[in-house]
Amino acid sequence: MTVENTKAEDQVEKPEATEAETSADVEAAVVDPILEEAAASEEQAEEQVIDDTARRIEELEEQLAQSKDQTLRAHAEAMNIKRRAEQDVEKAHKFALEKFVNELIPVVDSLEKGIESAEQGDGSHETMLEGMRLTHKQLLDALAKFQVLQVNPEGEPFDPNFHQAISMVPNPDMEPNTVMNVFQKGYTLNGRVIRPAMVVVSSAA
């Protein structure tokens, strides 16, 4: 076989690539990077959407928590206002008579002074004295019905919440800070002092 025949056979066995195959290879080489880039862009977009959604959810949760907190605060404030209003109404009911009681207390004082004076008399007015005592008792009972109570702490320990000491006197027969004498009786209205009892208190000898 000659050299020329060998070359001819090689050319037959290895034909050159067709134009269509070359075009497909070129197209594949161009399209693949574009598809990869598009896929990467789509993935980034999805990640961005997820991040934005998560951030928006976090913002909404924070706003919800703030709204709940504001609602609780508003509810607590409303309850406090309601409670204060109820307390004001209760105090108004309890102490509505305070001015009237303050005007009535001197009348009781005068009646008691009259009884004391009559008791020091010669006894010729016993009937009148008995009537004054009865009137005094009725008056105190009427006041007690409206929670106005007399404070007469003679012999009791001194209490600065209800008593006002006008003097202290040494007394070996009594415990220190004991009420020896009541100069003027006190009064309370529903437990609140209307007038403190003015007293003489014992001190150590």
Side-chain angles (χ1 to χ4, degrees):
M1 183 180 293
T2 63
V3 175
E4 292 178 358
N5 291 335
T6 303
K7 289 182 179 179
E9 289 178 358
D10 292 339
Q11 290 176 357
V12 171
E13 292 176 359
K14 297 180 181 179
E16 294 182 359
T18 64
E19 183 178 349
E21 290 175 344
T22 304
S23 176
D25 292 341
V26 172
E27 184 178 352
V30 173
V31 170
D32 286 346
I34 294 176
L35 292 176
E36 291 177 358
E37 184 177 353
S41 298
E42 184 177 356
E43 184 178 354
Q44 289 178 356
E46 290 178 355
E47 291 178 354
Q48 183 65 38
V49 169
I50 293 172
D51 291 342
D52 292 343
T53 303
R55 185 163 49 252
R56 182 57 179 164
I57 291 173
E58 184 177 353
E59 291 175 356
L60 291 174
E61 288 178 345
E62 184 177 352
Q63 291 176 5
L64 178 61
Q66 291 177 352
S67 297
K68 286 183 177 179
D69 182 64
Q70 292 174 355
T71 301
L72 290 174
R73 288 177 182 273
H75 180 69
E77 182 64 23
M79 292 300 295
N80 288 335
I81 292 173
K82 180 181 178 181
R83 192 178 300 112
R84 284 195 295 267
E86 290 174 349
Q87 290 174 349
D88 290 342
V89 171
E90 184 181 0
K91 286 180 181 179
H93 287 161
K94 280 186 176 181
F95 307 114
L97 295 176
E98 185 171 350
K99 290 183 178 180
F100 175 71
V101 171
N102 280 324
E103 294 296 326
L104 196 57
I105 286 174
V107 177
V108 181
D109 291 340
S110 297
L111 184 57
E112 289 177 346
K113 291 296 183 182
I115 292 173
E116 289 177 7
S117 297
E119 288 175 342
Q120 295 172 1
D122 56 7
S124 60
H125 304 292
E126 187 62 31
T127 303
M128 184 181 68
L129 180 59
E130 188 62 27
M132 293 174 66
R133 287 171 180 162
L134 181 59
T135 302
H136 177 255
K137 182 179 183 304
Q138 289 176 334
L139 184 54
L140 291 181
D141 289 344
L143 289 172
K145 289 180 180 179
F146 295 93
Q147 302 302 315
V148 180
L149 303 179
Q150 192 177 68
V151 179
N152 185 17
E154 186 170 349
E156 298 177 4
F158 175 74
D159 185 349
N161 295 314
F162 296 93
H163 312 152
Q164 180 178 347
I166 58 175
S167 65
M168 296 188 70
V169 177
N171 189 338
D173 298 329
M174 300 184 73
E175 290 290 330
N177 294 320
T178 300
V179 176
M180 295 174 52
N181 297 304
V182 179
F183 180 75
Q184 186 181 64
K185 296 173 184 176
Y187 289 87
T188 62
L189 172 59
N190 284 300
R192 186 167 77 180
V193 176
I194 299 298
R195 186 180 75 181
M198 301 182 68
V199 300
V200 178
V201 182
S202 65
S203 63

